[in-house]
Amino acid sequence: MVELLAPAGNFISLRAVLENGADAVYFGLDDYNMRANAKNFSLDDLSEVSKIANEYGAKTYLCTNVILNERLAGELESNLERISASEIDGLILSDIGLIDKTVAHGLEAHISVQENVTNSYTLKTLKKLGAKRAILSRELSLAEITEITEKSPIETEIFIHGAICMAISGRCFLSYGLYGRSANCGDCLQPCRKNWTLTYEEGDDNVINFSDVEDETFLITGSDDASYRTNFFSPKDMCMIEHIPELIESGVASFKIEGRARSPDYGAMVTGVYRQAIDDYENDSLNYEVKSEWMDELSSVFNRGFDTNFYFSTPFERSEDNQSKYIKKDIGQVVNYYSKVKAAEIRIWDDLALGDLIMIQGRTTGSITHTIDSMQIEGESVSEVSRGCNVAIAIDEKVRQNDFVYKLVERNNDD
């Protein structure tokens, strides 16, 4: 069976993806991973991460995938004993120089997508060095992935959902050039996602189009100040939910969801949808069908529009801003949960009404989405409540004191 590998940027996300069926989780350690702006975990957290994952029978992979200078490489080597003692299963490495040290400490060595693995010859060399798995380059087609995997002596892993970088497997210097913040050290400020103003020299009409896209108008939009703006640096998000059978038949060992810097509800939703799709196919491949609600659910959380990246063709469409269906509005906090009557007391600082869709998130709770169908104040049923009060809501799933409460407000993406 293929492994479903989900991201965890913090303890809430960790619980959220595990509750929704992740077979394994990957997460970052301060200073060593490509998401320096995520909350990440400390060395002291790793034992608890392992303990929580073990409750679900899930494996744990620690990202150490930045470009390591001499100091960082030495520090990581010195920390391998503590990492191993925490019972983490493996390390995702961007530096092949630490494969032998990793394996010597009883840890699996997985080679990061930052290594840009694009052929079986590299995989055979990695096998000799002791690597168990390699994440293949995101610039490969599905046909290439299948061929490489058939010839590979080690496991292969591919991304199936999430953000795509404008540069080859993330090797970009745009953020460093503009702000002095290096993407290759996990500190990208994502200037590629901005709305850029396009200018050109008068009389310079020597623009050559090497693509197979005849209509280039998708690149730019006119503005009131007579300038033109574009998001041509920013690709759409990858979404492979409609192609699970082809991906499984490619023979790869692990499907990876991108998103350690995204919210717990994102991790919960995306993991849950792909879990269902994978299980449906593996349980009954002959009668498998793509469910329309899967794309609706994936569209309900943060996304920049969807594409299939390089799997079937060369992507060319640029993304817009967040295309999710809902805005997540902070409205309150859980005061208490009463298990006997299955009700939560919530202190709210915004209006709430029957039929509203809310989300409750917490370190142990993970991320729960719930439609309000019953509310009470001091034992009296109410249909709506105003900010500044405590209200009891009926909810079967257990939530906990100090959990965060959000209201999902439908977004108008045509604005």
Side-chain angles (χ1 to χ4, degrees):
M1 292 178 62
V2 69
E3 173 187 88
L4 180 59
L5 177 56
N10 53 47
F11 278 107
I12 300 176
S13 293
L14 175 67
R15 186 73 68 169
V17 298
L18 290 170
E19 283 284 343
N20 282 276
D23 296 309
V25 292
Y26 68 102
F27 44 92
L29 193 65
D30 292 334
D31 297 331
Y32 300 111
N33 81 95
M34 292 298 289
R35 293 294 183 271
N37 297 317
K39 187 174 182 181
N40 296 313
F41 297 90
S42 69
L43 278 169
D44 293 334
D45 292 329
L46 296 187
S47 292
E48 185 175 357
V49 171
S50 295
K51 180 181 178 182
I52 293 170
N54 285 338
E55 294 174 14
Y56 298 84
K59 300 195 74 173
T60 48
Y61 308 131
L62 176 62
C63 294
T64 57
N65 56 346
V66 296
I67 292 178
L68 298 174
N69 58 27
E70 188 69 15
R71 177 184 65 82
L72 286 175
E75 287 182 4
L76 180 55
E77 181 187 4
S78 67
N79 285 326
L80 286 175
E81 187 170 348
R82 285 187 65 187
I83 294 171
S84 178
S86 70
E87 300 184 353
I88 294 298
D89 290 295
L91 264 62
I92 300 174
L93 298 166
S94 63
D95 197 316
I96 62 174
L98 286 170
I99 293 177
D100 59 338
K101 303 291 185 183
T102 298
V103 175
H105 282 82
L107 297 160
E108 296 178 10
H110 296 193
I111 305 307
S112 169
V113 71
Q114 297 298 115
E115 277 294 312
N116 199 217
V117 176
T118 57
N119 59 70
S120 62
Y121 297 93
T122 300
L123 291 164
K124 291 170 184 176
T125 299
L126 292 173
K127 167 70 173 178
K128 294 176 183 178
L129 294 174
K132 181 176 181 180
R133 179 187 296 180
I135 298 97
L136 299 181
S137 170
R138 281 180 280 202
E139 290 72 43
L140 294 171
S141 69
L142 182 57
E144 291 172 317
I145 289 167
T146 302
E147 180 182 6
I148 292 167
T149 298
E150 287 176 351
K151 298 176 180 178
S152 177
I154 63 175
E155 294 178 356
T156 58
E157 178 180 303
I158 56 173
F159 283 90
I160 60 168
H161 195 92
I164 295 299
C165 182
M166 61 173 278
I168 294 177
S169 290
R171 297 180 181 184
C172 178
F173 284 91
L174 187 60
S175 178
Y176 187 82
L178 292 174
Y179 310 118
R181 304 279 288 274
S182 175
N184 301 289
C185 292
D187 199 19
C188 183
L189 294 185
Q190 296 190 322
C192 58
R193 305 297 186 186
K194 305 294 184 183
N195 197 347
W196 289 70
T197 300
L198 185 68
T199 61
Y200 62 93
E201 296 290 336
E202 280 292 335
D204 183 10
D205 295 323
N206 298 317
V207 178
I208 302 174
N209 176 19
F210 289 106
S211 76
D212 57 0
V213 181
E214 295 181 2
D215 181 7
E216 297 180 13
T217 58
F218 69 89
L219 286 176
I220 58 177
T221 55
S223 300
D224 293 338
D225 60 1
S227 67
Y228 292 91
R229 288 180 168 77
T230 175
N231 292 90
F232 63 82
F233 286 134
S234 180
K236 289 185 175 182
D237 286 359
M238 178 195 295
C239 177
M240 297 299 292
I241 192 62
E242 297 178 327
H243 303 282
I244 292 301
E246 301 100 298
L247 296 181
I248 290 178
E249 295 306 319
S250 73
V252 298
S254 182
F255 290 172
K256 189 173 196 172
I257 298 167
E258 186 277 338
R260 281 186 292 128
R262 293 193 180 181
S263 63
D265 45 292
Y266 173 89
M269 177 63 76
V270 176
T271 303
V273 169
Y274 279 95
R275 175 78 278 156
Q276 184 179 349
I278 292 168
D279 289 349
D280 281 1
Y281 183 75
E282 292 186 334
N283 291 334
D284 187 3
S285 60
L286 294 178
N287 295 306
Y288 176 83
E289 61 180 23
V290 177
K291 294 181 172 61
S292 60
E293 60 263 30
W294 290 344
M295 187 63 78
D296 291 339
E297 290 169 356
L298 293 173
S299 299
S300 70
V301 291
F302 183 95
N303 70 87
R304 300 183 180 94
F306 293 130
D307 197 353
T308 56
N309 195 36
F310 288 90
Y311 280 105
F312 301 108
S313 63
T314 301
F316 62 87
E317 290 191 77
R318 85 284 185 262
S319 72
E320 301 289 350
D321 295 327
N322 182 11
Q323 299 294 297
S324 66
K325 291 183 177 180
Y326 300 100
I327 299 169
K328 192 170 69 174
K329 189 175 184 181
D330 179 10
I331 66 158
Q333 194 168 29
V334 175
V335 176
N336 207 343
Y337 182 75
Y338 303 96
S339 299
K340 288 185 178 180
V341 294
K342 297 187 179 302
E345 181 185 355
I346 300 175
R347 181 172 63 254
I348 61 169
W349 40 82
D350 204 326
D351 298 343
L352 195 62
L354 292 179
D356 281 347
L357 184 63
I358 65 168
M359 183 176 290
I360 302 177
Q361 296 179 347
R363 178 166 173 158
T364 303
T365 301
S367 182
I368 295 171
T369 303
H370 175 73
T371 300
I372 301 291
D373 57 10
S374 175
M375 295 192 299
Q376 291 185 351
I377 294 181
E378 296 182 352
E380 296 292 330
S381 295
V382 293
S383 60
E384 57 184 18
V385 291
S386 301
R387 66 185 68 186
C389 68
N390 284 21
V391 60
I393 67 166
I395 180 169
D396 290 338
E397 295 177 90
K398 183 178 180 180
V399 296
R400 292 155 182 88
Q401 185 178 17
N402 296 324
D403 281 355
F404 304 105
V405 182
Y406 305 92
K407 181 164 65 175
L408 299 183
V409 181
E410 193 162 357
R411 178 196 300 272
N412 183 354
N413 284 320
D414 295 328
D415 288 347

